[in-house]
Amino acid sequence: MISVSAVPALYTDSPVLSIRGRSIMASPEHSPVPHGKSGHFTAAGGLARQMAATGDARYAEGQAALATAGRRAGLVVSLVMISCLGCKRDNQQAQSPIGKVTVYCSVDEVFARGVLDTFHSETEIELATVFDSEAGKTTGLVNRIVSEAQAGRPRADVFWSSELFNTILLARQGLLEPYDSPAAADIPARFRDPQHRWTALAARARVLAFDPKSIPPDQVPMRWEDIAAPEWARQTAIANPLFGTTRGHVAAMFAMWGPQRARKFLTELRDGGVSIVDGNSTAVRAVMSGQVKLAMTDSDDVWVAQRSGASIDMRYPEMGGGGTFLIPCSVAIVRGGPNGEVAHKLVDYLVSADVERLLAESNSRNVPVREALREELNMPWPAESKVDFAAVADAMPQAIEAAREILLR
Amino acid sequence: VRNNPITAALVLAAWGVFALAVAWPTIALFGATITDRAPPSDGFVFSSRQMGLIWRSVWMSCAATLVCLVVSLPGVYVVGQVRSLSRRPLIAGLLVASLLCPPMVYALGWERVLPTSVSPHVRCIGTWAFWAWPIPAFLIGTGWARAGRSAYEAALLVLSPASAFLRVALFTLIPYIALSALVLFVLLSGDYGVPHSCGLLVFATELLVWAASSTRAIDTLWPAALVVLVDGFALTAMFIVWRLCPVGDDDNQPAETTHSPSLNLAFIAVACFAASWLLPVGTLVAKLGSSEAFAEAFRTYNRDLVWTLGVASVAGVVAVAMGLGVAALPFGICFPGGRRLRVVALIWAVIFGAMPGALVGKALVAAYNHDALWFIYDHWPIVALSYVSRFGWIGIATGIVVTELSQSDLTEQAETDGATHLDILRRIHLPLKWPTLACGAGIVAVLSIADVATSALVRVPGPAPIAHILIEKFHRFEDGMLISLSLWLIAAALVVVGIFVFALGRSAARARR
């Protein structure tokens, strides 16, 4: 006889038992011939015979309950699947037969989404976008483009980057398609690749963020090299120099200052106890929370923090050559992308003055490279150290190696 | 045991998912490493920075595990007293509700609850502990329903219920405590979202940086070996504890205790729930200000929300189905040596799942970034597969718990009477154990929703995983949108919990009738 205590507690509470109405297992008159505590049926076909004999239809009812549960579960799974597929279907319905473009975008999603949505609504071209994660700013997408090209099937049509130097490196690897966009005709030559493989626009400045309540503005370092002094280095946060604009900034130091001076700067930062955090905005947060007093960051990170009501301000430190370092966004067509023709239309849009205006008027406040637009929007071009972009890209491998060796080991 | 073609097909389907999600990515990862034929960028040494970060991850995870175990004790008591959660849908619902919200959301809530002077380390540890406490509460509490009951009942003769629980029962539950500690340690040490939300660099966050900054597999695989080493130590420690303190079975445990349960501990358990769930979530609601932001968040991100929830749900269902298929329908049906293969599958899935998310993502990319596999690589299935890869071990463990650790009497009877494996699965395991299976799928789904490290590397064109959008909002200081999206996730979790409690309540009512 199977006793109740021999059956696990969850069994006796089971919903199936309740569907059956009464418990066969616990009731002697319905129990098959038992074999000790283990509960083996010793009578031939005990369970099957029990079903027929008792009419309780243990399995049958269990199956009925399961069928109901199965239908419900099936319904839920179907709904989930439909909702997943529905996303796809929505896209397809929203698009016109004009086509589809796959965009790899490392411009911050909050700013880029509006721009891309506007393009979609104006052209009805479907956009499939991959935004970069905060952890892998730009570098993640660049490596993705490289590995997809190595695999023989590029997935991206357009690369819209928040910086320029990795785009130049992609161009040098032969992964970008030349395209001379007519919409970029009014962009100064310095911001266009002579071989038309990329176009740069909508710049951000590298700045020092500080809390004016914590440091009087007149005490904030005036030159980038000043923050390597021990009293500042331990009060400074920088983003991981392997990524994003910080990577380009360190490379620019190598390009402008030469390797010896740049390595000395990094070494002094390390020895002084600089804090390495995982993003520019994290560096700004560190200033806001009082963990550090200075943050090497981008101007847009300070603008959005100011807009949120934080007590934060910025300085454009002198990098050499007359001002701070400016980093433009870049747009390029990926060689061998699946939708080359339609991609041209998106590039025409992304390099247009309209998009520069949208980014300038956003919380990011990117500075247009078009002088006429700057005048129209009354946005002065910050004092800039006119570094050669190609030279910065040249210095990047060396800068990465040095940053890895000095700061990240 | 008889079998039929449907059984064989299900077996092959379950093992097929295992091959796609675990076996093939592992092979592809090591294949890519060998093909690269290059040492790691920093050579075959662990840098001092890597050692520092792994140390930080270890001590923070250990501290969080310890705090979590302490916080879970009242919950353990309540679960142990209830003995069968299917009889107490409300308690089951409260446990699941706490767990079914991504921990990153709690981190954002706690950031607003606590003063800014509180150390981010403390905030991170606290967030982890107050999110994960239902896991040990469930594991240890369920264990208490099986073992250590007699000693507790005897102690009640001279001690109060609370004292008997703390001074006697807990010592009989050491193996379950060790198991819970291991699960917590592995989960927390691999988490990206909470440390990142607290502004902390830990090994998991840095590993994603290394994975994203290099196209070579070895640059991720080599530092990840540190994590495997640490997890291996934790696993060994747990086995030592199990050997020293074997689980005692209570064959003659009383069906019901004759003493009144401790109201103090029950009250503390409710307080734990309130502190862990209501406080951070309530703060988020209070800080939202207006409902317009809530609606705006849905208008802007409804596709991303639905897509994330859909893919995560699919991953949860597939992971548990795979686990159930692997556990309940042994491979030996089709081929000899199946039972051993099942053990190998579990160990493989656990090791693969214990690896950092960035490495799992790297393995998926290595496996599916081929011209012939575009239909997976370009679309949501690769994201779902990545979640199954990372959390499939939970599905397999759930399958084994459902099929092996319970109902042995009933299944043996059925087998003797000629039921097929499929019959046993359909008519015994599924109807009796659906709450456990649902919980397993739910946990996989919520961990998938919270995942950042894996999905950062397997992003597909189209909607973005909501965890990435949350991080973006966090970095862009868009508090209104951040809170709104968090509340949408909580709302989705509440709907699921509501359905779960309703279904469980109906089942319990039927059982009582």
Side-chain angles (χ1 to χ4, degrees), chain A residues 13 16 18 39 41 47 58 66 91 108-109 143-144 148 153 155 243 278 281 285 301 408-409, chain B residues 42 49 84 196 209 212 301 303 371 377-378 410 413 417 426-427 431 459 474-476 510-511:
Chain A
D13 303 331
V16 173
S18 66
F41 291 93
L47 200 55
R58 173 186 162 76
L66 178 64
N91 289 343
D108 287 337
E109 181 265 347
N143 283 331
R144 187 175 169 137
E148 288 172 356
R153 188 171 181 273
R155 264 69 163 192
F243 291 93
D278 63 354
S281 69
R285 277 182 185 272
D301 293 297
L408 300 176
R409 250 180 213 162
Chain B
D42 294 336
R49 179 176 171 81
S84 168
H196 186 83
V209 166
Y301 293 104
R303 282 183 57 216
D371 202 6
Y377 183 82
D378 287 1
L410 198 56
Q413 292 163 21
D417 287 336
R426 290 174 61 202
R427 297 177 184 177
R459 296 275 292 266
F474 173 75
H475 284 288
R476 292 286 122 193
R510 281 177 180 169

Side-chain angles (χ1 to χ4, degrees), chain B residues 468-500:
Chain B
H468 294 263
I469 294 176
L470 282 177
I471 286 180
E472 182 77 19
K473 299 297 171 197
F474 173 75
H475 284 288
R476 292 286 122 193
F477 304 96
E478 292 198 354
D479 276 13
M481 204 59 100
L482 177 72
I483 293 172
S484 302
L485 286 172
S486 303
L487 292 178
W488 274 110
L489 286 181
I490 291 167
L494 284 179
V495 169
V496 173
V497 171
I499 294 170
F500 178 73

